[in-house]
Amino acid sequence: MTARPHRRRGRTVRARFLVRESPGVTVAPAADDVGGVEGRGALFDAARHAAERTLAEEGRGYLGGHLELRTPGGVGGARGPRTLLHAADRAAALAVTATLRGDDTGVTVRAARRPR
C-alpha cells in the first residue's frame, strides 16, 4: 500500500483586520495570497458581514476597517463551500476582536466540518 501525499489545500482561512475611524468594512485578499479567485464574492461578503456584526456587538459600530483574507489553495479546496464560508465568518470575527483588544498579528481558523 502506498501512502498518498499530504495536501493542505483550502483547509485554513487567515484574517487580519486593520481598524479605521471611518465607518464601513472593506475586504481584499492578502498581498501574498496564492488562492484562486473563483467563489471569492460570497466568501468576502460573509467575512465583511461578520466583521461589521462583530464591531456592532462590541459597541464599536461607528468604526470601520480593512479585512485581509488569505485562503491557501484557493476557495474551492478540499472542504465544501459552506465549511469555508463558516471558517471565513469565524476568522473575520476573531480578527476584529483581536484588533480591538490590541493584537494585530492576525488569526488562523481551520475549516473543519461540523459533526452531524
Side-chain angles (χ1 to χ4, degrees):
M1 178 151 111
T2 59
R4 291 187 221 161
H6 181 65
R7 291 181 144 179
R8 294 193 49 96
R9 213 178 67 164
R11 294 188 180 170
T12 59
V13 176
R14 296 182 184 134
R16 183 170 182 231
F17 185 74
L18 306 168
V19 71
R20 286 188 278 188
E21 296 294 323
S22 60
V25 175
T26 59
V27 182
D32 60 346
D33 190 11
V34 296
V37 294
E38 295 177 10
R40 286 268 170 104
L43 187 72
F44 286 178
D45 285 344
R48 181 174 49 83
H49 288 301
E52 290 170 346
R53 185 178 60 241
T54 304
L55 283 169
E57 288 173 356
E58 295 289 329
R60 305 281 179 97
Y62 58 90
L63 293 175
H66 179 73
L67 183 67
E68 294 178 353
L69 281 182
R70 183 177 305 133
T71 56
V75 173
R79 304 289 183 193
R82 285 181 53 198
T83 304
L84 196 58
L85 285 174
H86 179 71
D89 184 78
R90 185 77 178 132
L94 289 173
V96 169
T97 303
T99 300
L100 293 177
R101 203 176 46 227
D103 181 20
D104 64 348
T105 59
V107 298
T108 301
V109 174
R110 186 168 187 248
R113 293 185 185 150
R114 293 184 188 174
R116 294 180 189 214

